[in-house]
Amino acid sequence: MTNSQQAPGDGAPPSRGKIAERLLPGGEEPDPRFTLANERTFLAWIRTSLALLAGGIAIEAFTSDLFLEPVRKGLAIVLLLLGMLLSAGAALRWLRVERSMRHKAPLPLPLIVPLLAGAGAVAAAVVLVFVLWR
Amino acid sequence: MLALVTASALFLRWLPNHGLPILLLFTVSAGAALAIYLTQRRRYSARSHGVAREHVDADITAVLWTAFAGIALGALGIGVVLAG
Protein backbone atom coordinates (compact mmCIF):
# COMPACT_ATOMS: atom_id res chain seq x y z
CA MET A 1 0.00 0.00 0.00
CA THR A 2 1.45 3.38 -0.94
CA ASN A 3 0.98 6.50 1.11
CA SER A 4 -1.26 8.03 -1.54
CA GLN A 5 -3.75 5.24 -1.02
CA GLN A 6 -6.29 5.78 1.69
CA ALA A 7 -6.82 3.53 4.66
CA PRO A 8 -10.18 1.71 4.61
CA GLY A 9 -12.94 3.85 6.07
CA ASP A 10 -10.72 6.92 6.29
CA GLY A 11 -11.37 10.11 4.30
CA ALA A 12 -7.82 11.49 4.28
CA PRO A 13 -4.41 9.96 3.59
CA PRO A 14 -2.48 9.01 6.75
CA SER A 15 -0.41 11.85 8.20
CA ARG A 16 3.39 11.56 7.84
CA GLY A 17 4.19 14.16 10.48
CA LYS A 18 4.86 17.88 10.08
CA ILE A 19 8.61 17.63 9.49
CA ALA A 20 8.25 14.91 6.86
CA GLU A 21 5.48 16.78 5.05
CA ARG A 22 7.53 19.98 5.04
CA LEU A 23 10.87 18.44 3.97
CA LEU A 24 9.51 15.66 1.77
CA PRO A 25 6.46 17.21 0.17
CA GLY A 26 4.32 15.52 -2.46
CA GLY A 27 5.03 12.38 -4.42
CA GLU A 28 4.38 8.83 -3.37
CA GLU A 29 5.99 6.65 -0.74
CA PRO A 30 8.71 4.67 -2.59
CA ASP A 31 9.29 0.94 -2.32
CA PRO A 32 10.27 0.29 1.33
CA ARG A 33 13.45 -1.50 0.23
CA PHE A 34 14.63 1.70 -1.48
CA THR A 35 13.82 3.81 1.59
CA LEU A 36 15.77 1.39 3.78
CA ALA A 37 18.67 1.27 1.29
CA ASN A 38 18.81 5.08 1.35
CA GLU A 39 18.95 5.00 5.15
CA ARG A 40 21.75 2.40 5.09
CA THR A 41 23.75 4.62 2.73
CA PHE A 42 23.19 7.56 5.09
CA LEU A 43 24.44 5.47 8.02
CA ALA A 44 27.53 4.42 6.04
CA TRP A 45 28.36 8.10 5.48
CA ILE A 46 27.80 8.79 9.19
CA ARG A 47 30.24 5.98 10.07
CA THR A 48 32.80 7.58 7.74
CA SER A 49 32.14 10.93 9.40
CA LEU A 50 32.66 9.44 12.87
CA ALA A 51 35.88 7.77 11.68
CA LEU A 52 37.13 11.19 10.55
CA LEU A 53 36.17 12.75 13.89
CA ALA A 54 37.97 9.95 15.74
CA GLY A 55 40.95 10.37 13.38
CA GLY A 56 41.08 14.09 14.16
CA ILE A 57 41.16 13.33 17.87
CA ALA A 58 43.78 10.63 17.39
CA ILE A 59 46.02 13.02 15.44
CA GLU A 60 45.71 15.64 18.18
CA ALA A 61 46.13 13.25 21.09
CA PHE A 62 48.68 10.71 19.92
CA THR A 63 51.11 12.46 17.54
CA SER A 64 52.68 15.12 19.74
CA ASP A 65 56.16 13.59 19.21
CA LEU A 66 55.71 13.24 15.44
CA PHE A 67 54.25 16.55 14.23
CA LEU A 68 54.92 20.14 15.12
CA GLU A 69 52.02 21.68 17.04
CA PRO A 70 50.66 23.87 14.19
CA VAL A 71 50.74 20.91 11.76
CA ARG A 72 49.12 18.63 14.31
CA LYS A 73 46.36 21.12 15.11
CA GLY A 74 45.85 21.95 11.44
CA LEU A 75 45.44 18.28 10.48
CA ALA A 76 43.11 17.65 13.42
CA ILE A 77 40.92 20.62 12.45
CA VAL A 78 40.84 19.54 8.78
CA LEU A 79 39.68 16.05 9.78
CA LEU A 80 37.11 17.36 12.28
CA LEU A 81 35.81 19.87 9.73
CA LEU A 82 35.58 17.15 7.10
CA GLY A 83 33.67 14.94 9.55
CA MET A 84 31.21 17.78 10.18
CA LEU A 85 30.74 18.47 6.47
CA LEU A 86 30.24 14.78 5.82
CA SER A 87 27.54 14.55 8.50
CA ALA A 88 25.67 17.51 7.02
CA GLY A 89 26.25 16.24 3.46
CA ALA A 90 24.97 12.79 4.36
CA ALA A 91 21.70 14.23 5.67
CA LEU A 92 21.30 16.48 2.62
CA ARG A 93 22.00 13.59 0.28
CA TRP A 94 19.50 11.40 2.12
CA LEU A 95 16.87 14.15 1.71
CA ARG A 96 17.62 14.70 -1.99
CA VAL A 97 17.54 10.97 -2.76
CA GLU A 98 14.32 10.50 -0.78
CA ARG A 99 12.69 13.42 -2.65
CA SER A 100 13.83 12.02 -6.00
CA MET A 101 12.44 8.60 -5.17
CA ARG A 102 9.11 10.06 -4.04
CA HIS A 103 8.78 11.90 -7.36
CA LYS A 104 10.21 9.04 -9.45
CA ALA A 105 12.97 11.39 -10.64
CA PRO A 106 16.60 10.43 -11.46
CA LEU A 107 18.79 10.17 -8.37
CA PRO A 108 21.05 13.20 -7.72
CA LEU A 109 24.83 12.98 -8.08
CA PRO A 110 26.64 12.43 -4.77
CA LEU A 111 28.35 15.78 -4.14
CA ILE A 112 30.05 14.54 -0.96
CA VAL A 113 32.09 11.96 -2.90
CA PRO A 114 34.38 14.52 -4.65
CA LEU A 115 34.54 16.51 -1.38
CA LEU A 116 35.74 13.47 0.56
CA ALA A 117 38.12 12.34 -2.19
CA GLY A 118 39.65 15.82 -2.58
CA ALA A 119 40.05 16.49 1.13
CA GLY A 120 41.42 12.99 1.76
CA ALA A 121 44.00 13.44 -1.00
CA VAL A 122 45.07 16.85 0.35
CA ALA A 123 45.38 15.52 3.92
CA ALA A 124 47.40 12.50 2.73
CA ALA A 125 49.68 14.78 0.65
CA VAL A 126 50.29 17.07 3.64
CA VAL A 127 51.21 14.12 5.87
CA LEU A 128 53.42 12.57 3.16
CA VAL A 129 55.31 15.81 2.52
CA PHE A 130 55.76 16.40 6.23
CA VAL A 131 57.00 12.85 6.95
CA LEU A 132 59.45 12.91 3.99
CA TRP A 133 60.64 16.41 4.81
CA ARG A 134 61.18 15.53 8.47
CA MET B 1 25.85 2.89 17.63
CA LEU B 2 29.18 1.07 18.05
CA ALA B 3 30.96 3.76 16.03
CA LEU B 4 29.58 6.38 18.43
CA VAL B 5 30.73 4.31 21.43
CA THR B 6 34.20 4.03 19.88
CA ALA B 7 34.29 7.78 19.24
CA SER B 8 33.22 8.46 22.83
CA ALA B 9 36.05 6.22 24.11
CA LEU B 10 38.51 8.17 21.96
CA PHE B 11 37.15 11.44 23.34
CA LEU B 12 38.00 10.18 26.82
CA ARG B 13 41.60 9.78 25.65
CA TRP B 14 41.61 13.56 25.25
CA LEU B 15 40.64 14.11 28.90
CA PRO B 16 44.23 14.40 30.30
CA ASN B 17 45.20 16.88 27.53
CA HIS B 18 42.14 19.13 27.42
CA GLY B 19 40.30 18.67 30.70
CA LEU B 20 36.63 18.85 31.52
CA PRO B 21 35.25 20.23 28.21
CA ILE B 22 35.94 16.77 26.82
CA LEU B 23 33.18 15.41 29.06
CA LEU B 24 30.71 17.41 26.95
CA LEU B 25 31.94 15.65 23.80
CA PHE B 26 31.80 12.30 25.59
CA THR B 27 28.27 13.03 26.80
CA VAL B 28 27.00 13.96 23.32
CA SER B 29 28.60 10.91 21.72
CA ALA B 30 27.67 8.39 24.41
CA GLY B 31 24.19 9.96 24.74
CA ALA B 32 23.55 9.55 21.00
CA ALA B 33 24.73 5.93 21.20
CA LEU B 34 22.46 5.29 24.20
CA ALA B 35 19.48 6.88 22.42
CA ILE B 36 20.05 4.61 19.40
CA TYR B 37 20.38 1.57 21.67
CA LEU B 38 17.18 2.37 23.56
CA THR B 39 15.11 2.95 20.41
CA GLN B 40 16.54 0.32 18.06
CA ARG B 41 14.09 -2.41 19.04
CA ARG B 42 11.08 -0.15 18.32
CA ARG B 43 12.59 1.05 15.04
CA TYR B 44 13.49 -2.49 13.95
CA SER B 45 9.97 -3.65 14.70
CA ALA B 46 8.41 -0.72 12.78
CA ARG B 47 10.71 -1.38 9.81
CA SER B 48 10.11 -5.12 9.67
CA HIS B 49 6.33 -4.64 9.88
CA GLY B 50 6.67 -1.90 7.25
CA VAL B 51 8.45 -4.27 4.86
CA ALA B 52 5.68 -6.84 5.41
CA ARG B 53 3.01 -4.17 4.67
CA GLU B 54 5.13 -2.73 1.82
CA HIS B 55 4.95 0.71 3.41
CA VAL B 56 7.81 2.25 5.37
CA ASP B 57 7.76 5.90 6.41
CA ALA B 58 11.09 7.68 5.97
CA ASP B 59 12.46 8.28 9.48
CA ILE B 60 13.41 11.90 8.90
CA THR B 61 13.67 12.79 12.60
CA ALA B 62 16.26 10.07 13.27
CA VAL B 63 18.27 11.12 10.21
CA LEU B 64 18.30 14.78 11.25
CA TRP B 65 19.22 13.99 14.88
CA THR B 66 22.06 11.69 13.81
CA ALA B 67 23.44 14.29 11.39
CA PHE B 68 23.09 16.97 14.08
CA ALA B 69 25.05 14.80 16.55
CA GLY B 70 27.90 14.45 14.02
CA ILE B 71 27.95 18.19 13.33
CA ALA B 72 27.84 19.03 17.06
CA LEU B 73 30.70 16.61 17.83
CA GLY B 74 32.83 18.12 15.05
CA ALA B 75 32.11 21.69 16.17
CA LEU B 76 32.86 20.90 19.81
CA GLY B 77 36.04 19.06 18.78
CA ILE B 78 37.26 22.04 16.76
CA GLY B 79 36.48 24.32 19.70
CA VAL B 80 38.53 22.11 22.02
CA VAL B 81 41.49 21.97 19.59
CA LEU B 82 41.49 25.75 19.13
CA ALA B 83 41.11 26.42 22.85
CA GLY B 84 43.82 23.93 23.82
Side-chain angles (χ1 to χ4, degrees), chain A residues 7-73:
Chain A
D10 194 354
S15 171
R16 294 186 291 125
K18 279 182 187 172
I19 301 174
E21 283 179 5
R22 177 174 289 185
L23 294 178
L24 297 170
E28 287 184 357
E29 213 66 61
D31 187 312
R33 286 167 297 182
F34 299 156
T35 300
L36 295 177
N38 190 23
E39 206 168 288
R40 280 198 299 276
T41 309
F42 166 76
L43 290 173
W45 280 113
I46 288 293
R47 278 195 298 277
T48 309
S49 155
L50 285 170
L52 287 167
L53 293 179
I57 296 158
I59 290 268
E60 230 281 318
F62 301 132
T63 62
S64 54
D65 52 346
L66 182 63
F67 295 125
L68 299 171
E69 191 181 337
V71 176
R72 199 179 73 231
K73 283 197 171 190

Coordinates of all heavy atoms in Angstrom, one line a residue, chain A residues 7-73:
Chain A
A7 N -6.5 4.7 3.8 CA -6.8 3.5 4.7 C -8.3 3.3 4.6 O -9.1 4.2 4.3 CB -6.4 3.9 6.1
P8 N -8.8 2.0 4.7 CA -10.2 1.7 4.6 C -11.0 2.5 5.6 O -10.6 2.6 6.8 CB -10.2 0.2 4.9 CG -8.9 -0.3 4.8 CD -8.0 0.8 5.0
G9 N -12.0 3.1 5.2 CA -12.9 3.8 6.1 C -12.4 5.2 6.5 O -13.0 5.9 7.3
D10 N -11.3 5.6 5.9 CA -10.7 6.9 6.3 C -10.8 7.9 5.1 O -10.5 7.5 4.0 CB -9.2 6.7 6.7 CG -8.7 7.9 7.4 OD1 -9.4 8.9 7.5 OD2 -7.6 7.8 7.8
G11 N -11.2 9.2 5.4 CA -11.4 10.1 4.3 C -10.1 10.7 3.8 O -10.0 11.2 2.7
A12 N -9.1 10.8 4.7 CA -7.8 11.5 4.3 C -6.6 10.5 4.3 O -6.7 9.5 5.0 CB -7.6 12.6 5.3
P13 N -5.6 10.8 3.5 CA -4.4 10.0 3.6 C -3.8 10.1 5.0 O -3.9 11.1 5.6 CB -3.5 10.5 2.5 CG -4.0 11.8 2.1 CD -5.4 11.9 2.6
P14 N -3.1 9.0 5.4 CA -2.5 9.0 6.8 C -1.4 10.1 6.8 O -0.7 10.3 5.9 CB -1.9 7.6 6.9 CG -1.8 7.1 5.5 CD -2.8 7.7 4.7
S15 N -1.4 10.8 8.0 CA -0.4 11.8 8.2 C 1.0 11.3 8.3 O 1.2 10.3 9.0 CB -0.8 12.6 9.5 OG 0.2 13.5 9.8
R16 N 2.0 12.0 7.8 CA 3.4 11.6 7.8 C 4.2 12.4 8.9 O 5.3 12.2 9.0 CB 4.1 11.7 6.5 CG 3.5 10.8 5.4 CD 4.3 10.9 4.1 NE 4.2 12.1 3.5 CZ 5.2 12.9 3.1 NH1 6.4 12.5 3.4 NH2 5.0 14.1 2.5
G17 N 3.5 13.3 9.5 CA 4.2 14.2 10.5 C 4.6 15.5 9.8 O 4.8 15.5 8.6
K18 N 4.6 16.5 10.6 CA 4.9 17.9 10.1 C 6.2 18.0 9.4 O 6.3 18.6 8.3 CB 4.8 18.9 11.2 CG 3.3 19.3 11.6 CD 3.3 20.3 12.7 CE 1.9 20.6 13.1 NZ 1.8 21.4 14.3
I19 N 7.3 17.5 10.1 CA 8.6 17.6 9.5 C 8.7 16.9 8.2 O 9.2 17.4 7.2 CB 9.7 17.1 10.5 CG1 9.6 17.8 11.8 CG2 11.1 17.2 9.9 CD1 10.5 17.3 12.9
A20 N 8.2 15.7 8.1 CA 8.2 14.9 6.9 C 7.5 15.6 5.8 O 7.9 15.6 4.6 CB 7.7 13.5 7.1
E21 N 6.3 16.1 6.1 CA 5.5 16.8 5.1 C 6.1 18.1 4.6 O 5.9 18.5 3.4 CB 4.1 17.0 5.6 CG 3.3 15.7 5.5 CD 1.9 15.8 6.0 OE1 1.4 16.9 6.3 OE2 1.2 14.8 6.1
R22 N 6.9 18.7 5.5 CA 7.5 20.0 5.0 C 8.8 19.7 4.2 O 9.0 20.3 3.2 CB 7.9 20.8 6.3 CG 8.7 22.1 5.9 CD 8.9 22.9 7.1 NE 7.7 23.6 7.6 CZ 7.7 24.4 8.6 NH1 8.8 24.8 9.2 NH2 6.5 25.0 8.9
L23 N 9.6 18.7 4.7 CA 10.9 18.4 4.0 C 10.7 17.5 2.8 O 11.6 17.4 1.9 CB 11.9 17.9 5.0 CG 12.3 18.9 6.0 CD1 13.3 18.3 7.0 CD2 13.0 20.2 5.4
L24 N 9.7 16.6 2.9 CA 9.5 15.7 1.8 C 8.1 15.8 1.2 O 7.2 14.9 1.4 CB 9.7 14.2 2.3 CG 11.1 13.8 2.8 CD1 11.1 12.5 3.5 CD2 12.1 13.8 1.7
P25 N 7.8 17.0 0.6 CA 6.5 17.2 0.2 C 6.1 16.5 -1.1 O 7.0 16.2 -2.0 CB 6.4 18.7 -0.1 CG 7.9 19.0 -0.5 CD 8.7 18.1 0.2
G26 N 4.8 16.1 -1.2 CA 4.3 15.5 -2.5 C 4.9 14.1 -2.8 O 5.6 13.5 -2.0
G27 N 4.5 13.7 -4.0 CA 5.0 12.4 -4.4 C 4.4 11.2 -3.7 O 3.4 11.4 -3.0
E28 N 4.9 10.1 -4.0 CA 4.4 8.8 -3.4 C 5.5 8.1 -2.6 O 6.7 8.2 -2.9 CB 3.9 7.9 -4.5 CG 2.6 8.3 -5.1 CD 2.2 7.3 -6.2 OE1 2.9 6.3 -6.4 OE2 1.1 7.4 -6.7
E29 N 5.0 7.4 -1.5 CA 6.0 6.6 -0.7 C 6.7 5.6 -1.6 O 6.0 4.8 -2.3 CB 5.2 5.9 0.4 CG 6.0 5.8 1.7 CD 6.2 7.1 2.4 OE1 5.3 7.8 2.7 OE2 7.4 7.4 2.6
P30 N 8.0 5.6 -1.7 CA 8.7 4.7 -2.6 C 8.7 3.3 -2.0 O 8.2 3.1 -0.9 CB 10.1 5.2 -2.6 CG 10.3 6.0 -1.5 CD 9.0 6.5 -1.0
D31 N 9.2 2.3 -2.8 CA 9.3 0.9 -2.3 C 10.1 0.9 -1.0 O 11.1 1.6 -0.9 CB 10.1 0.1 -3.4 CG 10.1 -1.3 -3.1 OD1 10.4 -1.7 -1.9 OD2 9.9 -2.1 -4.0
P32 N 9.6 0.2 0.0 CA 10.3 0.3 1.3 C 11.7 -0.1 1.3 O 12.6 0.4 2.0 CB 9.5 -0.7 2.2 CG 8.4 -1.2 1.4 CD 8.4 -0.5 0.1
R33 N 12.1 -1.1 0.3 CA 13.4 -1.5 0.2 C 14.4 -0.3 -0.2 O 15.5 -0.2 0.2 CB 13.6 -2.6 -0.8 CG 13.0 -3.9 -0.2 CD 12.8 -5.0 -1.3 NE 11.8 -4.5 -2.3 CZ 11.5 -5.2 -3.3 NH1 12.0 -6.4 -3.5 NH2 10.6 -4.7 -4.2
F34 N 13.8 0.6 -1.0 CA 14.6 1.7 -1.5 C 14.8 2.7 -0.3 O 15.9 3.3 -0.2 CB 14.0 2.4 -2.7 CG 13.9 1.5 -3.9 CD1 12.9 1.8 -4.9 CD2 14.7 0.4 -4.1 CE1 12.8 0.9 -6.0 CE2 14.6 -0.4 -5.2 CZ 13.6 -0.2 -6.1
T35 N 13.7 2.9 0.4 CA 13.8 3.8 1.6 C 14.9 3.3 2.6 O 15.7 4.0 3.1 CB 12.4 3.9 2.3 OG1 11.5 4.4 1.4 CG2 12.5 4.8 3.5
L36 N 14.8 2.0 2.8 CA 15.8 1.4 3.8 C 17.2 1.4 3.2 O 18.2 1.7 4.0 CB 15.4 0.0 4.1 CG 14.0 -0.2 4.8 CD1 13.6 -1.6 5.1 CD2 14.0 0.5 6.2
A37 N 17.3 1.2 1.9 CA 18.7 1.3 1.3 C 19.2 2.7 1.4 O 20.4 2.9 1.7 CB 18.6 0.8 -0.2
N38 N 18.4 3.7 1.2 CA 18.8 5.1 1.3 C 19.3 5.4 2.8 O 20.3 6.0 3.0 CB 17.6 6.0 1.0 CG 18.1 7.5 0.8 OD1 19.2 7.7 0.6 ND2 17.1 8.4 1.0
E39 N 18.6 4.8 3.7 CA 18.9 5.0 5.1 C 20.3 4.3 5.5 O 21.1 4.8 6.2 CB 17.8 4.4 6.0 CG 17.8 5.1 7.4 CD 16.5 4.7 8.1 OE1 15.4 5.2 7.7 OE2 16.5 3.9 9.1
R40 N 20.5 3.1 4.9 CA 21.8 2.4 5.1 C 22.9 3.2 4.5 O 24.0 3.3 5.1 CB 21.7 1.0 4.4 CG 21.0 0.0 5.3 CD 21.3 -1.4 4.8 NE 20.9 -1.7 3.4 CZ 19.7 -2.0 3.0 NH1 18.8 -2.2 3.9 NH2 19.5 -2.2 1.7
T41 N 22.7 3.8 3.3 CA 23.8 4.6 2.7 C 24.1 5.8 3.6 O 25.2 6.2 3.9 CB 23.3 5.1 1.3 OG1 22.9 4.0 0.6 CG2 24.5 5.8 0.6
F42 N 23.0 6.4 4.2 CA 23.2 7.6 5.1 C 24.0 7.1 6.3 O 25.0 7.8 6.7 CB 21.8 8.1 5.5 CG 21.9 9.0 6.7 CD1 22.3 10.3 6.6 CD2 21.5 8.5 8.0 CE1 22.4 11.1 7.7 CE2 21.6 9.3 9.1 CZ 22.1 10.6 9.0
L43 N 23.7 5.9 6.8 CA 24.4 5.5 8.0 C 25.9 5.1 7.7 O 26.8 5.3 8.5 CB 23.7 4.2 8.6 CG 22.4 4.6 9.3 CD1 21.7 3.3 9.7 CD2 22.6 5.5 10.5
A44 N 26.1 4.7 6.5 CA 27.5 4.4 6.0 C 28.3 5.7 6.0 O 29.5 5.8 6.4 CB 27.5 3.7 4.7
W45 N 27.7 6.8 5.5 CA 28.4 8.1 5.5 C 28.6 8.6 6.9 O 29.6 9.2 7.2 CB 27.5 9.1 4.7 CG 27.7 9.0 3.2 CD1 26.7 8.6 2.3 CD2 28.9 9.3 2.4 NE1 27.2 8.7 1.1 CE2 28.5 9.0 1.1 CE3 30.2 9.7 2.8 CZ2 29.5 9.2 0.1 CZ3 31.1 9.8 1.8 CH2 30.7 9.6 0.4
I46 N 27.6 8.4 7.8 CA 27.8 8.8 9.2 C 29.0 8.0 9.8 O 29.7 8.6 10.6 CB 26.5 8.6 10.0 CG1 25.4 9.6 9.5 CG2 26.7 8.7 11.5 CD1 25.7 11.0 9.9
R47 N 29.1 6.7 9.5 CA 30.2 6.0 10.1 C 31.6 6.6 9.6 O 32.5 6.7 10.3 CB 30.1 4.5 9.7 CG 29.2 3.7 10.5 CD 29.5 2.2 10.3 NE 29.2 1.8 9.0 CZ 27.9 1.5 8.5 NH1 26.9 1.6 9.3 NH2 27.7 1.1 7.3
T48 N 31.6 6.9 8.3 CA 32.8 7.6 7.7 C 33.1 8.9 8.5 O 34.2 9.2 8.8 CB 32.6 7.9 6.2 OG1 32.2 6.7 5.6 CG2 33.9 8.3 5.6
S49 N 32.0 9.7 8.7 CA 32.1 10.9 9.4 C 32.7 10.7 10.8 O 33.6 11.4 11.3 CB 30.8 11.6 9.4 OG 30.7 12.5 10.5
L50 N 32.2 9.7 11.5 CA 32.7 9.4 12.9 C 34.1 9.0 12.9 O 34.9 9.3 13.8 CB 31.8 8.4 13.5 CG 30.4 8.9 14.0 CD1 29.5 7.7 14.4 CD2 30.6 9.9 15.2
A51 N 34.5 8.2 11.8 CA 35.9 7.8 11.7 C 36.8 9.0 11.5 O 37.9 9.0 12.1 CB 36.0 6.8 10.5
L52 N 36.3 10.0 10.7 CA 37.1 11.2 10.5 C 37.2 12.0 11.8 O 38.3 12.5 12.2 CB 36.5 12.1 9.4 CG 36.7 11.5 8.0 CD1 35.8 12.3 7.1 CD2 38.2 11.7 7.6
L53 N 36.1 12.1 12.6 CA 36.2 12.8 13.9 C 37.1 12.1 14.8 O 38.0 12.7 15.5 CB 34.8 12.8 14.5 CG 33.7 13.6 13.8 CD1 32.4 13.5 14.6 CD2 34.1 15.1 13.7
A54 N 37.1 10.7 14.9 CA 38.0 9.9 15.7 C 39.4 10.1 15.3 O 40.3 10.2 16.1 CB 37.6 8.5 15.8
G55 N 39.6 10.2 13.9 CA 41.0 10.4 13.4 C 41.5 11.7 13.8 O 42.7 11.9 14.1
G56 N 40.6 12.7 13.8 CA 41.1 14.1 14.2 C 41.5 14.1 15.6 O 42.6 14.7 15.9
I57 N 40.8 13.4 16.4 CA 41.2 13.3 17.9 C 42.5 12.6 18.0 O 43.3 13.0 18.8 CB 40.1 12.6 18.7 CG1 38.8 13.4 18.6 CG2 40.5 12.4 20.1 CD1 37.6 12.6 18.9
A58 N 42.6 11.5 17.3 CA 43.8 10.6 17.4 C 45.0 11.4 17.0 O 46.1 11.4 17.6 CB 43.6 9.4 16.5
I59 N 44.9 12.2 15.9 CA 46.0 13.0 15.4 C 46.4 14.0 16.5 O 47.6 14.2 16.9 CB 45.6 13.8 14.2 CG1 45.5 12.9 13.0 CG2 46.6 15.0 13.9 CD1 46.7 12.7 12.1
E60 N 45.4 14.6 17.2 CA 45.7 15.6 18.2 C 46.3 15.0 19.4 O 47.1 15.6 20.1 CB 44.4 16.4 18.5 CG 44.6 17.9 18.5 CD 45.2 18.4 19.7 OE1 44.8 18.0 20.8 OE2 46.1 19.3 19.6
A61 N 45.8 13.8 19.8 CA 46.1 13.3 21.1 C 47.4 12.4 21.0 O 48.1 12.4 22.0 CB 45.0 12.4 21.6
F62 N 47.6 11.7 19.9 CA 48.7 10.7 19.9 C 49.9 11.1 19.1 O 50.9 10.3 19.1 CB 48.1 9.4 19.3 CG 47.0 8.8 20.1 CD1 45.8 8.4 19.4 CD2 47.0 8.7 21.5 CE1 44.7 7.9 20.1 CE2 45.9 8.3 22.2 CZ 44.8 7.8 21.5
T63 N 50.0 12.2 18.4 CA 51.1 12.5 17.5 C 52.0 13.6 18.0 O 52.6 14.3 17.1 CB 50.6 12.7 16.1 OG1 49.8 13.8 16.1 CG2 49.9 11.5 15.6
S64 N 52.0 13.9 19.3 CA 52.7 15.1 19.7 C 54.2 15.0 19.5 O 54.9 16.0 19.4 CB 52.4 15.4 21.2 OG 52.7 14.2 21.9
D65 N 54.7 13.7 19.4 CA 56.2 13.6 19.2 C 56.5 13.4 17.7 O 57.6 13.3 17.4 CB 56.7 12.4 20.0 CG 55.9 11.1 19.7 OD1 54.8 11.3 19.2 OD2 56.4 10.0 20.1
L66 N 55.5 13.4 16.9 CA 55.7 13.2 15.4 C 55.6 14.6 14.7 O 56.4 14.9 13.8 CB 54.7 12.2 14.9 CG 54.8 11.8 13.4 CD1 56.2 11.2 13.1 CD2 53.7 10.9 13.0
F67 N 54.5 15.3 15.0 CA 54.3 16.5 14.2 C 54.5 17.8 15.1 O 54.4 17.7 16.3 CB 52.8 16.6 13.8 CG 52.4 15.5 12.8 CD1 51.4 14.7 13.0 CD2 53.1 15.4 11.6 CE1 51.0 13.7 12.1 CE2 52.8 14.4 10.7 CZ 51.7 13.5 11.0
L68 N 54.9 18.9 14.4 CA 54.9 20.1 15.1 C 53.5 20.5 15.5 O 52.5 20.1 14.9 CB 55.5 21.2 14.2 CG 57.0 21.0 13.7 CD1 57.3 22.0 12.7 CD2 57.9 21.1 14.9
E69 N 53.4 21.4 16.5 CA 52.0 21.7 17.0 C 51.1 22.3 16.0 O 49.9 21.9 15.9 CB 52.1 22.6 18.3 CG 50.8 22.7 19.0 CD 50.8 23.6 20.2 OE1 51.8 23.8 20.7 OE2 49.7 24.1 20.5
P70 N 51.6 23.3 15.2 CA 50.7 23.9 14.2 C 50.2 22.8 13.2 O 49.0 22.9 12.8 CB 51.5 25.0 13.5 CG 52.6 25.2 14.4 CD 52.9 24.0 15.2
V71 N 51.1 21.9 12.7 CA 50.7 20.9 11.8 C 49.7 20.0 12.4 O 48.7 19.6 11.8 CB 52.0 20.1 11.3 CG1 51.6 19.0 10.4 CG2 53.0 21.1 10.6
R72 N 50.0 19.6 13.6 CA 49.1 18.6 14.3 C 47.7 19.2 14.5 O 46.7 18.6 14.2 CB 49.7 18.3 15.7 CG 49.2 17.1 16.3 CD 49.8 16.8 17.6 NE 49.3 17.7 18.7 CZ 50.1 18.4 19.5 NH1 51.4 18.3 19.4 NH2 49.6 19.2 20.4
K73 N 47.7 20.5 14.9 CA 46.4 21.1 15.1 C 45.7 21.3 13.8 O 44.4 21.1 13.7 CB 46.5 22.5 15.8 CG 46.8 22.3 17.3 CD 46.5 23.6 18.0 CE 46.6 23.3 19.5 NZ 46.1 24.4 20.3

